[in-house]
């Protein structure tokens, strides 16, 4: 009797596929939509996106790209502590603008110099030897040298900039005297090259109070050594536990947070009860990472029979946090595949959408590029997949063996090219979503968005050419 009642009382938990946003009065040009938000108590972002801490997604290049685009990367923890700390430090040292490692050596043959310049689309290029900048070569002069039969172009003197003089370097490029300038550290060692095109297409980066790129790192609350090693270097530490609402996890986290200076994001959670227990037991909560079983590579619903749609969990956690007067932002995580999904999850109360699959095919994702036939792919795998778990125990012999059965799968995703190109389209689309709802910013989206429960019907099947 009780059992049948339980089934009859099964709550309706809507997912991003069950609802759409209703259009509202559009009073704002989508271009003018402000997507700025908070990732955690102190970490501010300019776009509401974070990359998942997964070993096929977020290492150095993804973390830099996400911050340069205005979001944040969460460096995964499937590596030795020292390596994770090194990545975080390197991101902090990166100039808050896109740069490339682009130079020629003094003995590079003339023809090759021209080739490198054409490929990079620049008409000037630093010449570097032994880590030091020897000067610049210029396209027209290199061409003349090649025609005259000489082997190498002679570098001409030119200025090298430290990161502290980034503003001057940009000005020089915009004035058009050079279209690529070398950046060096304070000891004069070459770091990278700033290119005119990147300055022109520059997006505003997400930075900390000192103007350095923001960065987050995944930790396990059981791994105190890792958390303390990353503390202060990373802006936020993100708990990376499948089910944070667990008595033992809460117990160790209660002690851990007392020692942390960086923001601490709990997760993953997916219920009101979890928020209440966290609030009553932890002195410090700077964000809620929300979603359980919703990830594209996740098999928890099949393996364990447990799942809550990310959209539903976000709304429940947000309401629970507000009713306890907690201001920590909600991060929707798992199963967010399209810009439309991002807008829906934000409208349901999230401040940020965390994505893995969406970014896994980009150049900046940490997995290698693979060719099969004439198509390119990148591997993408769940962090609780067989392969990822084997790696974790190989690099960290103190890791807790909490799972004996895999709850994730491994696969390939299609190659998507540069994240910079890909993301600009995603951002445009998200802004369009805000525009339809009539929201100028995320606060207005929360207030104005209305959901309708609908299945899309009546759509003819066409073959795209
Ligand atoms: P998407 O859908 O963006 O989801 O690919 C990424 C999120 O999935 C979670 N994740 C897992 N969940 N088993 C799981 O149940 C796994 O092996 C696994 N690996 C990652 C994680 O929250 C991530 O951000």
């Amino acid at each position: 009797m009780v059992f049948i009642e339980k089934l009859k009382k099964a709550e309706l938990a809507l997912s991003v596929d069950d609802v759409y946003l209703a259009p509202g009065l559009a009073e704002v040009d989508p271009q003018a939509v402000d997507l700025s938000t908070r990732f955690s108590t102190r970490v501010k972002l300019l776009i509401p996106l974070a990359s998942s801490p997964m070993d096929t997604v977020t290492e150095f290049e993804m973390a830099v790209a996400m911050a340069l685009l205005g979001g944040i990367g969460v460096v995964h923890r499937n590596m030795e502590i020292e390596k994770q700390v090194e990545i975080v430090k390197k991101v902090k040292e990166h100039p808050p603008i896109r740069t490339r490692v682009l130079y020629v050596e003094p003995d590079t043959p003339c023809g090759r110099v021209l080739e490198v310049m054409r490929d990079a689309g620049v008409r000037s290029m630093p010449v570097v030897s032994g880590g030091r900048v020897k000067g610049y070569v210029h396209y027209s002069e290199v061409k003349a040298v090649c025609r005259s039969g000489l082997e190498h172009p002679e570098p001409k003197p030119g200025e090298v900039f430290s990161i502290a003089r980034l503003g001057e370097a940009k000005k020089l490029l915009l004035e058009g005297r050079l279209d690529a300038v070398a950046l060096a550290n304070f000891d004069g060692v070459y770091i990278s090259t700033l290119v005119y095109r990147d300055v022109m297409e520059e997006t505003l980066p997400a930075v900390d109070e000192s103007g350095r790129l923001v960065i987050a790192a995944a930790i396990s609350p059981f791994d105190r050594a890792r958390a303390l090693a990353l503390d202060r270097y990373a802006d936020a530490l993100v708990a990376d536990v499948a089910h944070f609402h667990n008595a033992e996890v809460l117990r160790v986290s209660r002690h851990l947070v007392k020692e942390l200076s960086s923001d601490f994001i709990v997760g993953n959670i997916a219920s009101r009860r979890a928020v209440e227990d966290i609030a009553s037991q932890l002195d410090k909560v700077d964000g809620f990472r929300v979603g359980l079983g919703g990830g594209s590579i996740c098999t928890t619903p099949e393996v364990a029979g447990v799942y809550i749609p990310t959209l539903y969990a976000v709304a429940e956690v947000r309401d629970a946090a507000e009713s306890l007067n907690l201001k920590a932002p909600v991060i929707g995580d798992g199963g967010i595949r399209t810009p439309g999904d991002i807008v829906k999850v934000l409208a349901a109360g999230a401040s940020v959408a965390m994505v893995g699959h969406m970014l896994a095919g980009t150049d900046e994702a940490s997995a290698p590029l693979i060719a099969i036939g004439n198509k390119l792919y990148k591997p993408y795998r769940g962090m609780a997949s067989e392969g990822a778990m084997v790696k974790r125990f190989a690099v960290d012999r103190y890791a807790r063996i909490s799972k004996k059965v895999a709850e994730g799968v491994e696969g390939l995703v299609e190659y998507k090219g540069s994240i910079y190109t890909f993301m600009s389209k995603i951002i445009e689309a998200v802004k369009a979503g805000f525009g339809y709802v009539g929201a100028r910013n995320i606060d207005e989206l929360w207030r104005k968005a209305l959901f309708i429960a609908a299945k899309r019907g009546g759509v003819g099947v066409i073959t795209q050419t």
Side-chain angles (χ1 to χ4, degrees):
M1 223 53 112
V2 175
F3 287 99
I4 198 70
E5 284 307 314
K6 278 194 194 185
L7 275 179
K8 284 184 180 170
K9 281 186 185 152
E11 225 171 288
L12 176 69
L14 298 167
S15 78
V16 284
D17 293 329
D18 303 317
V19 293
Y20 287 89
L21 288 161
L25 173 65
E27 294 171 300
V28 54
D29 172 4
Q31 292 299 324
V33 166
D34 171 10
L35 291 180
S36 60
T37 186
R38 268 188 318 138
F39 177 66
S40 60
T41 306
R42 286 172 299 178
V43 178
K44 296 193 180 88
L45 304 182
L46 298 176
I47 62 165
L49 284 170
S51 63
S52 291
M54 299 171 77
D55 61 6
T56 45
V57 180
T58 311
E59 290 186 2
F60 174 71
E61 275 166 16
M62 177 60 74
V64 166
M66 284 302 290
L68 287 178
L69 287 159
I72 192 165
V74 186
V75 178
H76 72 86
R77 64 185 174 95
N78 222 7
M79 61 178 96
E80 273 137 16
I81 296 175
E82 297 70 28
K83 183 165 176 217
Q84 199 184 10
V85 173
E86 189 192 310
I87 291 177
V88 167
K89 283 185 179 170
K90 252 175 75 186
V91 173
K92 282 286 174 202
E93 284 162 11
H94 192 283
I97 185 166
R98 190 174 174 199
T99 62
R100 306 155 185 249
V101 175
L102 186 66
Y103 63 85
V104 287
E105 286 171 355
D107 56 358
T108 310
C110 220
R112 177 71 194 138
V113 176
L114 285 179
E115 220 172 83
V116 175
M117 293 177 97
R118 277 192 214 115
D119 285 352
V122 292
R123 301 187 69 79
S124 50
M125 167 98 75
V127 178
V128 176
S129 172
R132 305 260 154 191
V133 181
K134 303 291 172 195
Y136 290 84
V137 286
H138 303 277
Y139 192 78
S140 51
E141 290 166 15
V142 181
K143 250 174 120 178
V145 171
C146 290
R147 260 192 250 114
S148 71
L150 284 172
E151 271 180 32
H152 324 288
E154 203 51 45
K156 294 271 161 60
E159 237 181 319
V160 179
F161 293 84
S162 73
I163 304 228
R165 293 176 61 213
L166 205 57
E168 284 176 59
K170 281 201 240 175
K171 193 159 166 268
L172 185 78
L173 291 173
L174 292 171
E175 282 168 359
R177 279 185 282 146
L178 290 172
D179 61 3
V181 299
L183 300 176
N185 67 14
F186 290 108
D187 301 325
V189 175
Y190 170 83
I191 307 173
S192 55
T193 301
L194 189 61
V195 174
Y196 172 75
R197 192 161 13 111
D198 295 335
V199 173
M200 281 309 288
E201 290 168 5
E202 188 184 359
T203 49
L204 285 178
V207 291
D208 63 18
E209 284 167 355
S210 323
R212 299 170 306 170
L213 297 179
V214 294
I215 176 75
I219 56 143
S220 156
F222 294 105
D223 194 349
R224 178 172 173 268
R226 184 178 296 266
L228 295 186
L230 288 159
D231 190 39
R232 290 172 199 271
Y233 292 117
D235 297 283
L237 300 179
V238 180
D240 194 31
V241 185
H243 187 39
F244 193 92
H245 192 204
N246 165 302
E248 191 58 8
V249 174
L250 288 170
R251 192 185 64 75
V252 292
S253 299
R254 189 165 65 231
H255 295 294
L256 182 66
V257 296
K258 293 188 199 305
E259 300 186 82
L260 298 181
S261 300
S262 300
D263 279 1
F264 180 64
I265 294 173
V266 297
N268 279 35
I269 59 162
S271 68
R272 167 175 284 276
R273 273 294 305 278
V275 179
E276 289 166 356
D277 288 341
I278 288 164
S280 67
Q281 296 187 40
L282 265 57
D283 290 344
K284 175 180 166 71
V285 178
D286 297 298
F288 298 99
R289 183 180 171 198
V290 176
L292 208 159
S296 59
I297 32 52
C298 175
T299 53
T300 307
E302 291 74 30
V303 171
V306 175
Y307 163 61
I308 301 217
T310 301
L311 186 84
Y312 184 83
V314 159
E316 177 157 319
V317 166
R318 175 72 191 266
D319 282 348
E322 293 221 330
S323 64
L324 293 169
N325 211 13
L326 301 175
K327 301 278 180 263
V330 171
I331 300 162
D333 174 25
I336 298 164
R337 300 151 304 180
T338 62
D341 289 351
I342 296 173
V343 185
K344 289 178 197 176
V345 166
L346 296 175
S351 294
V352 170
M354 179 176 275
V355 288
H357 181 268
M358 195 184 258
L359 303 175
T362 61
D363 283 324
E364 290 72 11
S366 44
L369 199 57
I370 292 174
I372 300 177
N374 55 3
K375 286 199 102 179
L376 293 171
Y377 300 89
K378 280 202 153 196
Y380 180 50
R381 67 182 181 188
M383 293 307 290
S385 65
E386 204 74 50
M389 288 200 294
V390 166
K391 162 125 186 271
R392 181 163 324 146
F393 299 127
V395 295
D396 181 2
R397 60 206 166 96
Y398 303 109
R400 280 170 62 104
I401 301 173
S402 53
K403 284 195 187 346
K404 292 191 177 60
V405 51
E407 286 182 27
V409 289
E410 310 180 38
L412 296 172
V413 292
E414 269 187 38
Y415 173 58
K416 284 190 174 135
S418 159
I419 194 173
Y420 295 94
T421 319
F422 171 71
M423 199 59 108
S424 65
K425 292 182 191 141
I426 301 284
I427 301 301
E428 288 300 302
V430 170
K431 285 185 172 177
F434 276 59
Y436 276 110
V437 173
R440 274 170 241 270
N441 53 44
I442 200 156
D443 271 308
E444 283 195 9
L445 184 75
W446 290 331
R447 264 189 291 120
K448 292 187 173 176
L450 291 175
F451 285 103
I452 52 157
K455 288 276 176 214
R456 224 170 135 223
V459 183
V461 179
I462 58 156
T463 310
Q464 280 194 322
T465 50

